[in-house]
Amino acid sequence: MEWNGSKEGMRFLDLTLHPLAVALAKEPASPRDEETLSEIYETLRTWLFFAGSVLRRHESPFFSSPETETETWDEQELLLRIVEKGENISADDPRLLKYIKNYVLIPPLPSDIPYNLTKPQSHFSQFPDQIAFLQSTFENFTGGFFIEAGAYDGEMFSNTLWLERERKWTGLLVEPDARNFDSLKGKKRKAWLSHSCLSPIPYPQQMSLKGEGAGAEMTSKNQTDQNGQHLICFPLESFLSVIDQSKIDFFSLDIEGMDYEVLTSIPWDILDIQIMMVESNKGTREQILKFMAEKNYRHAKKLKIDDVFEKPRS
């Protein structure tokens, strides 16, 4: 409540002090006593009012001002700031987080809604060594949280659908291609969905998706280029702040060549990522290996197109 002389503030004081005055007045009293009680009441009322004003100015938690409502951005406003003004919007900017919550993220479906899969098999990963790794690592792990960047259609080549269906995990699925994302929504996954991409810098950035299918690649948007799908990519930190999730048990990063750049944009000091499967066959493997070693991650396994990293146990 704001103690600034408003009617609401005065009414609160009246409601607080009035019962005391009534209780005191129940005892038989002379007109002079009643006059004294009235003076005491008004004095207390005035004193509390001014005390509240002083405490408010000193930001006392007992007399705090109401929080200012966060400004609401739409896509036009966000693009204006990112593209035309060149603003580096912080990953934890409340206005950005509100935009992501309102326009970018789709919450998980209830667990009792049936999946709508094309081939409801047990595992869905692209290669047998991926399946073997997931099976051996998470066979007895239920209720975890995953991220899959490059989620494709949510079924084909998915490294997380087995975890979700068979081990009761949930997580975040990010897919930039519009056609793939439409298919992803139709699969009835029990995870957060986002038709967007992970930013390779710690700020939201507009980028272009070139090509189609599983091999489409993200590039920085050229203002004169009208080809491709143009999207706003967001920092991983922003997504997880909205979801209120800082611990990630498994992170599948497969974004066709920008994996290293996204790794360097992650705030490793505030996110607890246990195991990562990173696509590393696009020419940046040595950079990825060096960077993850600098972050003190153990190189756990080399797969056909991925490298697996594990955070050391503390």
Side-chain angles (χ1 to χ4, degrees):
M1 173 173 294
E2 186 172 356
W3 296 82
N4 59 359
S6 66
K7 292 181 180 179
E8 291 80 5
M10 295 302 293
R11 176 169 172 75
F12 176 80
L13 289 169
D14 287 339
L15 291 174
T16 304
L17 293 172
H18 184 66
L20 174 61
V22 170
L24 291 172
K26 285 183 177 180
E27 296 297 326
S30 66
R32 183 176 180 82
D33 292 333
E34 291 179 358
E35 183 179 348
T36 301
L37 283 172
S38 178
E39 290 175 357
I40 293 173
Y41 174 78
E42 289 300 327
T43 300
L44 284 171
R45 186 172 182 268
T46 303
W47 183 86
L48 280 176
F49 173 75
F50 285 108
S53 299
V54 172
L55 287 170
R56 180 177 61 85
R57 286 196 295 271
H58 289 276
E59 298 183 351
S60 166
F62 299 104
F63 295 91
S64 58
S65 300
E67 293 184 4
T68 304
E69 183 177 354
T70 302
E71 180 183 355
T72 300
W73 288 347
D74 57 14
E75 185 177 22
Q76 183 178 3
E77 176 68 23
L78 184 57
L79 286 173
L80 173 68
R81 291 174 177 272
I82 294 173
V83 179
E84 296 188 23
K85 295 184 178 180
E87 291 185 18
N88 289 333
I89 301 171
S90 174
D92 61 355
D93 189 305
R95 300 166 298 179
L96 178 65
L97 300 184
K98 185 175 182 180
Y99 176 85
I100 293 173
K101 180 180 179 180
N102 290 344
Y103 301 109
V104 181
L105 281 171
I106 300 174
L109 290 173
S111 59
D112 59 349
I113 294 180
Y115 287 95
N116 180 28
L117 304 178
T118 303
K119 297 179 179 180
Q121 58 212 41
S122 178
H123 283 276
F124 303 85
S125 296
Q126 185 174 7
F127 297 106
D129 59 354
Q130 294 172 327
I131 294 173
F133 169 76
L134 292 169
Q135 184 84 35
S136 62
T137 305
F138 300 114
E139 177 63 33
N140 299 313
F141 191 162
T142 60
F145 188 92
F146 59 73
I147 298 171
E148 188 163 17
Y152 199 43
D153 71 355
E155 177 181 354
M156 182 180 290
F157 305 152
S158 175
N159 290 325
T160 60
L161 182 51
W162 173 74
L163 294 169
E164 187 180 299
R165 288 180 72 213
E166 305 298 334
R167 296 298 176 266
K168 309 305 179 186
W169 286 40
T170 188
L172 169 65
L173 302 171
V174 182
E175 172 54 45
D177 184 80
R179 183 179 298 178
N180 290 340
F181 188 74
D182 283 342
S183 297
L184 170 58
K185 287 192 295 183
K187 303 298 180 181
K188 311 297 183 184
R189 294 287 302 264
K190 312 306 183 290
W192 293 87
L193 311 181
S194 179
H195 175 213
S196 60
C197 38
L198 297 184
S199 176
I201 57 177
Y203 313 104
Q205 179 183 25
Q206 188 178 38
M207 303 191 73
S208 294
L209 180 68
K210 301 293 183 65
E212 297 180 350
E217 296 182 357
M218 299 297 304
T219 62
S220 296
K221 181 181 181 297
N222 187 323
Q223 294 299 309
T224 62
D225 182 9
Q226 300 302 316
N227 298 320
Q229 303 175 51
H230 305 316
L231 303 100
I232 302 175
C233 298
F234 301 94
L236 177 61
E237 178 187 353
S238 301
F239 284 117
L240 296 175
S241 293
V242 175
I243 297 172
D244 192 23
Q245 183 77 31
S246 60
K247 185 176 187 296
I248 300 94
D249 299 296
F250 175 61
F251 186 178
S252 175
L253 183 61
D254 181 357
I255 50 178
E256 305 303 324
M258 292 199 66
D259 309 83
Y260 171 71
E261 287 81 359
V262 166
L263 286 175
T264 62
S265 74
I266 293 174
W268 298 91
D269 57 328
I270 63 175
L271 297 182
D272 180 12
I273 305 174
Q274 295 296 306
I275 295 177
M276 296 194 69
M277 181 187 290
V278 183
E279 186 183 51
S280 56
N281 66 335
K282 296 294 191 288
T284 59
R285 182 169 186 260
E286 293 306 316
Q287 291 174 284
I288 291 172
L289 291 173
K290 180 180 178 182
F291 179 80
M292 295 304 292
E294 291 172 352
K295 295 301 175 184
N296 297 319
Y297 273 71
R298 183 177 70 89
H299 183 235
K301 201 172 188 64
K302 172 69 177 79
L303 304 179
K304 183 178 179 66
I305 64 170
D306 307 295
D307 280 280
V308 178
F309 303 94
E310 182 176 359
K311 184 176 182 178
R313 302 181 187 275
S314 56

